[in-house]
Amino acid sequence: MALKSWLEGRWVEGTGAPSPLVDPTTGAQVAEVRSGGADLGAALDHARRHGGPALRALTFAQRGAILDGLAALIHANREELIDVSRTSGGTTRGDAKFDIDGAAGTLSWYGHLGKKLGDRTFLLDGEAEGVLRSKRFVGQHVLVPRHGVAIHINAFNFPAWGMAEKAAVAWLAGVPVLSKPGTATCALSVRIAELWVESGLLPAGAFSLLTGSIGDLLDHVGPQDCVAFTGGSETGRVVRGHPAIVRHNVRVNIEADSLNASILGPDVEPGSDTFQMFLNDVTRDLIQKAGQKCTAVRRIFVAADRVEETVEALTDRMSRVVVGDPGEKGTEIGPVASPSQHRSVTAGIAELEKVAKVAWRAEAPGGGCFVTPTLFRADGADVPYVHEHEVFGPVATVLPWSGDADELVQLVSRGGGGLVCSVYSDDLAWAGPVVLGLAPWHGRILWGSAKVHDQSPGPGTVLPNLVHGGPGKAGGGEELGGQRGLSFYCQRTAIQADRGLLDRVLGKA
Ligand code: NAP
């Protein structure tokens, strides 16, 4: 099956050499993509000329109703999408649901926000303030949708959620979307795009999909466009430094690698609720999506004198994990998503074997894109490879540490900035400074304690109402965060004028 792009309001088959897409469980080819041939400058123009004006003419409530409709479509076709996810991405049923339900859930969440924002077409930011000492001459900040295209470049690991979460925010802001999924798993994004297009819910030009490689897309960006990228930090650097992006000062958001840390507080006793929460969260992150989550824990910090019992508890929990065919009931870890992912994770595991011991390792089937899920254990916390390299699979390393809270924060910050960090402690005096000390280095922190031990989806779950992104190595970006996310697609403008005139123009009078 040749996967097509949806550009300028029609399905376009690429030209040039085909790239095969395989079922990672069997290695059999399931589809192909050809990257050449499309006029991407014309595709962006089409979106700017048709999609932008159509979306801007709608109120937030109307845009929100579209998002609700798109979410309902995903939900109504859930079983088919789960199958596509398995055959094109090697996901277990649970992993496919995580991606697909995440997509529908985020669209619905922003649909609901649209309803709440109501009949407006743009946002006010704060209250009007007096200019100098005048009561009549005031300044009011507004957030108006930009007149460009939201160009979304996504990673392979969330072909449904990644596409939907970015698009939901841009559409609610009133900006058309051109989405480019990661090629290896794009069959699921293409199927969702087909459902959206067939439904006719979106105005013409509001949505475009580019399958295959990026081509010369970024050569055609203009000053009103926004580029939101998710992927590896090296690719992120290329995107940020693209000459057309630099020339036009195009707004860019980068979501990249992250050496997410999980910290077990010295006060936490084995068997306690907080300890169980830590175990659940860490093992879930190793298992879920075969560890291919940007938010998955990679570094597990445990006080040196507690390492033995903690590793024992973790390995005991992991010993029952089933690795195998994701289509079989009971399988918890499937293959990684593609042959290139297989090469990268296998190489990362080989590097970790040089600097840390294997604490636990699962048996994995041969063939396909199966890797060996492994929990490593280092002798100390000073292991540069562990702090610097993300092995994007079912792999994590336990790092023993000793010292005070400041030293711990220093150690964690060797990851260079992360998406999320989790801290497990019931000791307010210890955990408070650790959480606040880690905050400048992270976009999100989960503080697990006995009071919330049974209420958390874990640090690996990105939520629409909380920001997603992190400083430094994690890309320096920020997405979602409820209404905050809309500002990326809007221009914040301070309008200075007579209060009465302004109130009437802004719909306040
Ligand atoms: P990747 O190789 O960097 O690719 C990401 C996207 O960029 C893909 O759509 C890719 O297209 C595209 N791309 C490749 N070269 C490009 C270029 N020169 N200009 C513009 N776009 C280009 O990353 P990946 O392997 O898909 O994803 C894995 C990485 O993503 C991991 O490191 C993970 O940590 C990170 N990630 C981060 C987050 C987050 O929210 N922070 C979420 C998920 C994943 P092709 O697929 O066609 O090459």
Side-chain angles (χ1 to χ4, degrees):
M1 181 178 59
L3 299 178
K4 296 181 182 159
S5 297
W6 175 253
L7 300 169
E8 297 183 73
R10 60 200 159 85
W11 289 105
V12 182
E13 199 169 321
T15 56
S19 305
L21 304 186
V22 301
D23 178 339
T25 308
T26 61
Q29 182 172 343
V30 288
E32 67 177 34
V33 175
R34 292 170 199 262
S35 294
D39 183 343
L40 300 177
L44 288 176
D45 269 351
H46 176 84
R48 289 185 201 109
R49 275 188 293 113
H50 300 285
L55 284 167
R56 293 196 295 274
L58 301 177
T59 65
F60 284 110
Q62 289 168 325
R63 296 173 204 157
I66 294 175
L67 301 186
D68 278 338
L70 300 177
L73 272 173
I74 293 180
H75 193 67
N77 292 277
R78 190 169 181 251
E79 288 305 319
E80 182 204 340
L81 296 175
I82 288 173
D83 270 353
V84 177
S85 175
R86 177 175 49 77
T87 52
S88 60
T91 52
T92 63
R93 185 173 170 79
D95 292 344
K97 285 198 288 187
F98 190 58
D99 186 22
I100 291 160
D101 294 348
T106 308
L107 282 161
S108 296
W109 196 95
Y110 275 95
H112 185 68
L113 177 61
K115 196 170 169 189
K116 271 201 336 210
L117 294 174
D119 291 336
R120 308 190 63 89
T121 56
F122 62 91
L123 294 168
L124 301 182
D125 178 21
E127 297 293 322
E129 296 174 36
V131 173
L132 301 178
R133 271 169 296 164
S134 169
K135 285 208 169 106
R136 289 219 328 255
F137 191 36
V138 296
Q140 167 74 56
H141 289 91
V142 296
L143 282 165
V144 290
R146 294 180 139 222
H147 283 207
V149 181
I151 297 170
H152 294 161
I153 305 172
N154 282 308
F156 73 85
N157 59 336
F158 281 100
W161 181 86
M163 178 168 77
E165 62 93 6
K166 280 187 168 63
V169 183
W171 282 328
L172 189 60
V175 177
V177 168
L178 186 151
S179 187
K180 187 231 151 323
T183 299
T185 57
C186 71
L188 180 58
S189 319
V190 171
R191 185 62 196 125
I192 293 173
E194 284 170 355
L195 294 169
W196 285 350
V197 167
E198 280 161 19
S199 75
L201 283 167
L202 283 158
F207 177 55
S208 313
L209 181 86
L210 172 62
T211 58
S213 67
I214 193 87
D216 66 355
L217 177 72
L218 297 181
D219 292 347
H220 305 285
V221 294
Q224 288 279 308
D225 297 328
C226 311
V227 177
F229 166 86
T230 296
S233 33
E234 273 177 38
T235 323
R237 268 193 291 280
V238 173
V239 170
R240 200 191 286 284
H242 189 284
I245 287 182
V246 174
R247 186 173 341 114
H248 296 295
N249 292 314
V250 172
R251 201 174 270 183
V252 177
N253 193 71
I254 305 279
E255 298 290 344
D257 318 354
S258 180
L259 280 312
N260 307 301
S262 184
I263 300 160
L264 182 66
D267 60 296
V268 181
E269 292 295 335
S272 66
D273 286 343
T274 309
F275 189 77
Q276 285 306 120
M277 182 181 188
F278 159 82
L279 282 185
N280 291 344
D281 287 354
V282 168
T283 52
R284 185 194 298 111
D285 269 8
L286 242 132
I287 295 168
Q288 199 169 45
K289 297 213 87 235
Q292 300 165 108
K293 281 189 314 192
C294 53
T295 48
V297 61
R298 307 290 172 199
R299 300 177 295 156
I300 306 163
F301 290 88
V302 181
D305 59 350
R306 307 292 293 276
V307 167
E308 291 303 329
E309 58 204 16
T310 307
V311 167
E312 201 179 304
L314 281 169
T315 54
D316 181 52
R317 172 67 66 88
M318 295 295 291
S319 65
R320 293 179 290 278
V321 168
V322 180
V323 188
D325 183 337
E328 292 201 356
K329 222 172 166 191
T331 297
E332 288 161 279
I333 304 184
V336 292
S338 67
S340 101
Q341 195 40 28
H342 181 260
R343 282 191 294 278
S344 155
V345 176
T346 307
I349 290 175
E351 288 302 315
L352 284 171
E353 281 170 353
K354 294 179 193 163
V355 295
K357 298 180 192 123
V358 172
W360 164 86
R361 176 162 269 177
E363 286 217 10
C369 301
F370 286 96
V371 297
T372 322
T374 310
L375 179 70
F376 286 96
R377 168 194 180 161
D379 286 337
D382 185 16
V383 190
Y385 188 84
V386 177
H387 296 293
E388 288 161 16
H389 294 273
E390 180 195 45
V391 181
F392 203 59
V395 181
T397 305
V398 175
L399 297 162
W401 66 279
S402 48
D404 62 20
D406 282 349
E407 284 163 304
L408 176 62
V409 170
Q410 288 292 326
L411 263 177
V412 176
S413 70
R414 286 181 62 180
L419 295 171
V420 60
C421 179
S422 46
V423 180
Y424 301 86
S425 172
D426 294 297
D427 180 351
L428 179 68
W430 180 84
V434 169
V435 167
L436 290 176
L438 291 168
W441 293 94
H442 297 89
R444 184 162 55 85
I445 296 179
L446 184 152
W447 177 358
S449 65
K451 289 191 194 260
V452 293
H453 78 277
D454 54 354
Q455 293 172 33
S456 163
T461 299
V462 172
L463 300 164
N465 50 335
L466 301 183
V467 291
H468 173 58
K473 189 172 175 66
E478 188 179 285
E479 291 182 338
L480 300 170
Q483 194 175 317
R484 291 173 192 85
L486 272 61
S487 58
F488 180 69
Y489 300 102
C490 296
Q491 180 60 39
R492 191 190 318 271
T493 307
I495 305 182
Q496 292 170 260
D498 169 73
R499 186 187 285 274
L501 293 177
L502 203 51
D503 281 355
R504 268 179 277 165
V505 168
L506 301 181
K508 289 168 92 183

